[in-house]
Amino acid sequence: MMLNALKRIIAVGTSGLLLFSALIVTGGGTINAAGVAGDSGQDVFNIVALGDSITAGYEPGMTDPNTKPYGYAERLLEQGWYHGRASLTNYGILGLTTAGLRNYTGAIATGAAITPEGIQAGLLDPRITQFAGQTVQIGTELKVADLITITIGGNDVSSLFLKVKEITDVDFQSQLEQRLTDYTTNVTAVLENIRVVNPQATIILADQYQPAPGIALGPNYGQLMTAAGRMTTTVESVAASINREGAPVRVAHVAERFAGIEGSLTHIIGIGKADFHPTQLGYEKIARVFAELQWGEYRSPAVAVMTPSSAPMSIVVKGIELNTPNKPILKNGQNFLALKDVLNAVGATGKWDNKTSSATIIYGGRTVVITIGAKNIKVNGQNVAIDTPAFLQKVGKEDKTYLPLAALATGLGFDVKYSGQLRTAFINP
């Protein structure tokens, strides 16, 4: 029966942990994207993600060390690129409870050293020693964060939900009440710890979806949905107690997006062991809730993600997707863009010299000279090496200058990020 499968839910399998031992937490580093930064003095929208395995982006079967998670936080970073320069540091810890996050943020707030056991006993996340040693670094990152996201609480209630058919309703309600009380105490402390470090950043706290579909629970489905609703009410109350004008704490209502379609949004039903973690579709749903709260929208490229890899990628410049006959070109494994399209999108001026086969661009205090076929460009008179030279490509009756993505950052100081999942390059001056 599906209920028996539900009872075999494994928050994190040992083999799945192998993946996370290969991950290093860096700004934007948990997304399958290539990034080249321009001038470091530009404003960057900084996202710090805290919480449990949902924040970490875990899915069952992730055993290949070369595979990196693509969860809600990584998608949220992509949404940030639609609005300008953005960075992400992801500190999702597998198996973390609200008490563990309270301990962890307490150490971060004071800059104190903490051991893995001091965070939470028995955590299986192979990165936990690394995370425990980074309290000062995380405090520094939290201090400059513009957005702090949190998913937490699933590990507090999951064991109770699994016992729903084994205990009386009175016992279930009593235990639920105690866990919600503990949630209130712990998460209130978490938010207060964060406010010690960063008094004004937007904090978005997710509620907890109920992961099992009705087919798995039968008559107990309504009971667990009611319990999930009570947890949502608790999350709203905790957020409201810390929310202040100019220092918002918002609730990401994830649970309502999962209700009724849990089977497609989680790994409860499918090949292998039942698991409550989101599918890729589930992580997209979660990201959509967070993005809509922060920016009022969730965007996707016009080019379908599932199109062949040989098809042109999408180009987004200053939040606007380019629609031009001068399509990007994939050559020798690198993406090239029509220089004129990018310059027009950012408002730069350019001049072509037929004698030297070079383009001179003036933008943001820089004068850049790009010569066709040259392995270097001139930036304010100084030679700067580039890996791949620009070339001319005939488009209709005209020759267009095509430049590799990385050279836009090297020469013009643009921030260039490429998302392999979206097959989209994001260019922000």
Side-chain angles (χ1 to χ4, degrees):
M1 293 179 62
M2 288 303 304
L3 180 59
N4 293 328
L6 176 61
K7 292 178 180 179
R8 297 195 303 272
I9 291 175
I10 298 175
V12 181
T14 303
S15 60
L17 294 174
L18 295 176
L19 164 67
F20 290 92
S21 65
L23 298 184
I24 303 297
V25 178
T26 56
T30 55
I31 188 170
N32 291 343
V36 182
D39 289 344
S40 59
Q42 299 289 334
D43 288 338
V44 178
F45 186 82
N46 298 305
I47 306 169
V48 176
L50 301 172
D52 52 23
S53 54
I54 306 301
T55 289
Y58 178 81
E59 288 187 85
M62 297 177 74
T63 58
D64 183 354
N66 296 315
T67 301
K68 293 183 178 181
Y70 183 53
Y72 90 82
E74 290 70 38
R75 287 172 164 88
L76 196 62
L77 174 61
E78 292 171 340
Q79 295 301 305
W81 291 338
Y82 275 107
H83 297 270
R85 299 184 182 215
S87 72
L88 166 69
T89 46
N90 188 329
Y91 294 102
I93 299 175
L94 281 62
L96 194 68
T97 64
T98 58
L101 186 57
R102 177 182 182 176
N103 295 336
Y104 195 34
T105 55
I108 293 168
T110 61
I114 192 169
T115 65
E117 291 295 307
I119 296 174
Q120 182 178 318
L123 285 172
L124 297 177
D125 193 319
R127 305 163 300 161
I128 190 59
T129 299
Q130 174 189 346
F131 283 155
Q134 291 179 314
T135 54
V136 174
Q137 174 186 325
I138 299 171
T140 300
E141 292 166 351
L142 278 176
K143 189 173 184 178
V144 298
D146 299 286
L147 173 63
I148 300 164
T149 67
I150 304 172
T151 65
I152 199 70
N155 293 310
D156 293 53
V157 299
S158 58
S159 61
L160 175 60
F161 282 19
L162 288 173
K163 296 189 298 182
V164 64
K165 280 198 171 183
E166 300 172 3
I167 60 178
T168 66
D169 182 63
V170 172
D171 195 12
F172 179 87
Q173 297 301 331
S174 175
Q175 291 188 45
L176 177 63
E177 188 64 34
Q178 181 59 56
R179 296 183 195 214
L180 293 179
T181 298
D182 292 342
Y183 178 97
T184 297
T185 300
N186 291 331
V187 178
T188 299
V190 166
L191 297 177
E192 290 173 343
N193 290 337
I194 291 172
R195 281 295 180 235
V196 169
V197 181
N198 188 323
Q200 294 184 316
T202 297
I203 300 173
I204 300 181
L205 173 65
D207 63 3
Q208 181 61 44
Y209 61 86
Q210 194 285 111
I215 191 174
L217 294 170
N220 294 101
Y221 178 76
Q223 184 180 7
L224 289 191
M225 291 301 291
T226 299
R230 289 185 61 194
M231 187 163 191
T232 295
T233 300
T234 301
V235 174
E236 292 171 338
S237 176
V238 170
S241 72
I242 306 297
N243 182 57
R244 300 288 185 273
E245 184 177 355
V249 180
R250 299 170 179 161
V251 176
H253 289 94
V254 172
E256 65 185 22
R257 302 289 182 98
F258 276 61
I261 52 174
E262 300 89 354
S264 63
L265 300 184
T266 72
H267 287 279
I268 289 292
I269 299 175
I271 300 173
K273 295 179 179 179
D275 189 290
F276 65 68
H277 288 91
T279 60
Q280 282 296 298
L281 182 59
Y283 276 120
E284 182 179 334
K285 287 280 188 183
I286 296 172
R288 185 178 293 274
V289 177
F290 277 89
E292 289 172 352
L293 275 175
Q294 179 61 38
W295 294 292
E297 62 179 357
Y298 184 87
R299 298 179 59 180
S300 300
V303 174
V305 175
M306 297 304 293
T307 53
S309 59
S310 58
M313 63 180 178
S314 293
I315 307 295
V316 176
V317 182
K318 294 176 64 175
I320 305 298
E321 189 167 351
L322 296 186
N323 184 11
T324 170
N326 308 318
K327 299 303 180 185
I329 293 175
L330 182 64
K331 184 176 181 181
N332 298 326
Q334 292 199 47
N335 285 297
F336 290 77
L337 308 181
L339 181 61
K340 183 178 180 181
D341 291 336
V342 177
L343 298 183
N344 288 343
V346 300
T349 59
K351 181 180 179 181
W352 175 256
D353 188 331
N354 279 320
K355 293 182 180 180
T356 60
S357 296
S358 63
T360 300
I361 302 139
I362 300 174
Y363 182 81
R366 293 189 181 200
T367 299
V368 181
V369 180
I370 300 169
T371 302
I372 299 301
K375 282 292 191 81
N376 58 69
I377 59 180
K378 285 188 178 295
V379 181
N380 293 337
Q382 301 295 316
N383 282 328
V384 177
I386 57 175
D387 292 334
T388 309
F391 65 88
L392 291 177
Q393 174 78 13
K394 186 169 289 294
V395 180
K397 296 182 179 180
E398 298 183 25
D399 288 328
K400 301 290 184 182
T401 301
Y402 272 74
L403 190 68
L405 271 177
L408 291 172
T410 302
L412 297 172
F414 293 167
D415 182 69
V416 180
K417 295 292 191 296
Y418 177 71
S419 168
Q421 285 83 2
L422 296 183
R423 298 188 63 249
T424 299
F426 296 87
I427 301 171
N428 286 294

